[in-house]
Amino acid sequence: MARTDRQRYVQRMRRKARKKRAAVIERDGANCHWCKRPCVERPGEPPTGDTLTLDHIIELEDGGDSSPGNLVVACGRCNNKRASQKHTRRRRLGLPRTGRRSEERRVGKEC
């Protein structure tokens, strides 16, 4: 069966993402950037306390990108903790909500 252009594109992007992930893990030595504990990679499972995840230093919502320089290895515990702190900080500073759902709310109110 011949592959379509879309299938080839998706396969190429996945290959790039795997290489980028492997480069970040190799650079950080599979240790959490925030708590310095070793992380374990468990593909296909939801993150637990010591599961290896990648975390954006500058969040995508705040203008960060997914380049290796903006990614660090984080354990599941630290990654979740940072996410909840970010939302609390944004609320405390009175910053607007970001993300797709907040866009839908704003659009709905304008109509």
Side-chain angles (χ1 to χ4, degrees):
M1 183 172 150
R3 293 185 179 214
T4 65
D5 289 337
R6 171 134 177 84
Q7 288 171 330
R8 282 192 293 270
Y9 173 79
V10 169
Q11 186 178 24
R12 192 169 43 243
M13 291 298 109
R14 286 184 181 157
R15 195 176 310 124
K16 284 183 179 181
R18 281 193 301 266
K19 286 181 181 179
K20 185 188 314 181
R21 179 180 179 85
V24 172
I25 292 169
E26 183 178 334
R27 180 194 69 202
D28 292 349
N31 291 323
C32 178
H33 178 77
W34 309 112
C35 69
K36 309 299 184 215
R37 293 185 186 140
C39 300
V40 181
E41 189 156 23
R42 295 188 180 103
E45 293 183 23
T48 58
D50 65 342
T51 303
L52 185 144
T53 61
L54 294 184
D55 189 17
H56 292 87
I57 297 172
I58 301 172
E59 301 296 331
L60 295 174
E61 296 173 345
D62 297 333
D65 59 357
S66 291
S67 68
N70 191 40
L71 292 172
V72 293
V73 171
C75 64
R77 186 179 302 111
C78 290
N79 202 349
N80 287 335
K81 191 188 309 181
R82 266 183 45 87
S84 62
Q85 287 173 351
K86 182 187 74 140
H87 294 302
T88 303
R89 185 180 72 239
R90 292 184 75 84
R91 193 172 31 245
R92 190 172 53 239
L93 295 174
L95 297 173
R97 291 181 175 179
T98 57
R100 195 175 81 212
R101 292 187 69 152
S102 61
E103 290 294 326
E104 291 170 359
R105 286 188 196 113
R106 278 189 287 235
V107 169
K109 288 182 180 180
E110 292 174 1
C111 294

